[in-house]
Structure formats: structure tokens, C-alpha cells
Amino acid sequence: MGLTQLARNHVPAAVVLALAFAALSAVSVAGATGWVVLAALEVGTASTLGTLLPLFALGTVLGLPLTVAAAVVAAVGVAAHVSSVVTAKRRAASTRLGQVASRIERHPLARLLGVAALVEDIDTRSPERRADDRIERLKDRYVDGALSEWELEERTRIVLDEEGVPSRRPSGLDDRLRDAERS
């Protein structure tokens, strides 16, 4: 487990530690400052605070760096969490955009008017995914009897050329088509 993941998983603990160390530092600095002020004013209670001065110094020396470290861990954890949420939302939006683009591409009027070409420009799906979706629709039409085998092969080559996908790659769609033909 990396440090970022560790920080992401322990954000509340890091925040509590940062607050605790900050409180320790604040008390230590206040105590040391109080001793300096009382010693400068030559008040008798300065000697009482003077006995605690080594503890104030230790609290300050340890508390400040530990406060900074715990705050950095908490900030890294929050940033990692926010980043993962943003990435998940971006991925979901990309999927939705791909679904909308797929619906628009199916419509013959969209192809005729050139709207489908515009959608392809903003479609975030990979060329392979777009080609698979288009070929799947062609295969559905072939199974339904709307296309001949020659038309299917020709249109498949056209789709692969348009998307810039090598035509020799195996596809899971071919397996499903063979299964549908056997049934």
C-alpha cells in the first residue's frame, strides 16, 4: 500500500493528530511566552513556569514538525479522495456521452445530416469501442435479415477503415454472431 493510499484511508486520524499536535504546540509556545513575559517583568511566578520550561521547549520542538507532518498527510489524503471522486465522475460522464453518441449514430437521419460525424468528434470512446458498437449493430441487422453476408463484410470493412482499426483483430462480437447463427 502506497503512502497516498495510506493517507487516503486515514484522513480522520491524520486530522485528529494534526489538531492534537497543534494544541500541544500552542500550549508549549504559550507557556514559553508566558515565562519570558513574567521573567521580563520580574514576577515571582516566573520561577514556577521556569521549572516547566524544558517541557515547553520539548512540546514546541516536537509539536510543530508533527503538526505540519500530520496536516500534510491529511491534505494528501483529502486530495487523493477528491481526485478519485472526480475521476469516477469523469468516467461516468464519458460512458454516458458514449451511450448518447451511440444512439445518435444509429439514427439514419443523423448520418444523412452529418450530425453523426459531429458526435464522433466529441465521442470519448476509443476507436475500437466505437467500431465494435457499429459492427454490433450491423451484425444485428444481418441476423435480422436486413443485410446480406456480402453487405455485412463490406460495411464492416468500411467501419474499420473509418475508425482506423486494424481489420485482423479478433472480436468477441464474431463469437456471438456465430452462436446466434447456430441457434
Side-chain angles (χ1 to χ4, degrees):
M1 178 182 300
L3 291 176
T4 304
Q5 186 66 29
L6 184 68
R8 183 173 177 251
N9 292 340
H10 300 327
V11 170
V15 169
V16 167
L17 283 175
L19 291 174
F21 291 134
L24 171 67
S25 298
V27 168
S28 297
V29 168
T33 304
W35 175 80
V36 168
V37 168
L38 291 176
L41 296 174
E42 297 180 3
V43 176
T45 57
S47 63
T48 306
L49 281 178
T51 59
L52 297 175
L53 191 58
L55 292 176
F56 294 149
L58 181 65
T60 303
V61 169
L62 290 178
L64 290 176
L66 291 174
T67 300
V68 170
V72 167
V73 168
V76 166
V78 167
H81 180 71
V82 167
S83 174
S84 67
V85 169
V86 168
T87 300
K89 287 188 180 211
R90 187 177 298 144
R91 201 172 291 136
S94 174
T95 301
R96 283 192 298 270
L97 181 61
Q99 291 168 345
V100 169
S102 179
R103 285 190 194 115
I104 291 173
E105 285 176 345
R106 284 185 217 156
H107 201 281
L109 187 58
R111 284 255 172 237
L112 182 66
L113 296 175
V115 174
L118 293 174
V119 169
E120 288 172 0
D121 291 340
I122 62 169
D123 190 357
T124 58
R125 296 176 295 169
S126 69
E128 291 83 8
R129 178 62 190 214
R130 283 193 309 263
D132 278 348
D133 289 346
R134 290 174 65 189
I135 291 170
E136 184 176 351
R137 289 191 299 274
L138 289 172
K139 289 179 180 181
D140 289 343
R141 291 180 61 201
Y142 171 73
V143 170
D144 291 341
L147 293 177
S148 69
E149 186 175 344
W150 179 85
E151 287 175 310
L152 173 66
E153 290 174 4
E154 186 62 28
R155 289 185 183 188
T156 299
R157 272 194 291 276
I158 291 170
V159 167
L160 293 174
D161 287 343
E162 286 178 354
E163 297 295 345
V165 177
S167 60
R168 291 189 179 96
R169 76 179 173 84
S171 172
L173 299 173
D174 293 330
D175 297 335
R176 287 191 286 185
L177 180 61
R178 282 190 211 101
D179 291 342
E181 287 176 340
R182 289 182 192 145
S183 301

